[in-house]
Amino acid sequence: QVQLVESGGGLVQAGGSLRLSCAASGGTFSSYIIGWFRQASGKEREFVARVSWSGASTEYVDSVKGRFTISRDNAKNTVYLQMNSLKPEDTANYYCAAQIKYGGNYDYWGQGTQVTVSS
């Protein structure tokens, strides 16, 4: 079983940058695909990005392509989400989650970190 803890959220002006971190403990970190999701107030949770076990493969929702970069450091049991050119519509609570294989459930979730982008 893996525990996930997000950090790095905060308040930033539009056009600014933040880097979120997802630190894992327990389990074998490199055995999990890690995804980032977000949920804005009053809206459903949305997939943002995910990274494969080794970090070689990444996927993004269209709205963040070219602005966000997901990466992982398996030696540090950490996944990062570098967010550049932030927009007010990026405001949400951001969560990381772990899945064993593509198409499977995300079995483990963090508590989230709030990102607020002011206009």
Side-chain angles (χ1 to χ4, degrees):
Q1 187 169 354
V2 63
Q3 293 79 44
L4 303 173
V5 178
E6 303 92 338
S7 62
L11 174 64
V12 64
Q13 289 188 333
S17 298
L18 284 174
R19 188 177 79 158
L20 305 184
S21 297
C22 172
S25 60
T28 303
F29 182 65
S30 59
S31 297
Y32 295 94
I33 299 160
I34 302 296
W36 282 99
F37 294 79
R38 64 187 180 186
Q39 187 166 20
S41 180
K43 295 187 177 181
E44 293 188 354
R45 188 172 60 201
E46 174 189 35
F47 167 81
V48 176
R50 68 179 172 183
V51 61
S52 63
W53 308 272
S54 67
S57 177
T58 58
E59 298 174 52
Y60 301 89
V61 68
D62 285 347
S63 60
V64 308
K65 285 180 180 177
R67 300 189 298 122
F68 291 11
T69 302
I70 189 171
S71 61
R72 69 190 296 163
D73 184 339
N74 285 341
K76 295 183 178 180
N77 288 356
T78 302
V79 168
Y80 305 98
L81 186 68
Q82 178 67 44
M83 305 188 297
N84 298 329
S85 301
L86 282 161
K87 304 175 181 180
E89 51 263 43
D90 294 317
T91 295
N93 204 2
Y94 283 71
Y95 302 87
C96 62
Q99 64 176 169
I100 291 290
K101 61 181 181 180
Y102 292 106
N105 294 325
Y106 281 91
D107 293 317
Y108 307 104
W109 292 81
Q111 294 300 307
T113 185
Q114 178 67 36
V115 171
T116 302
V117 184
S118 63
S119 56

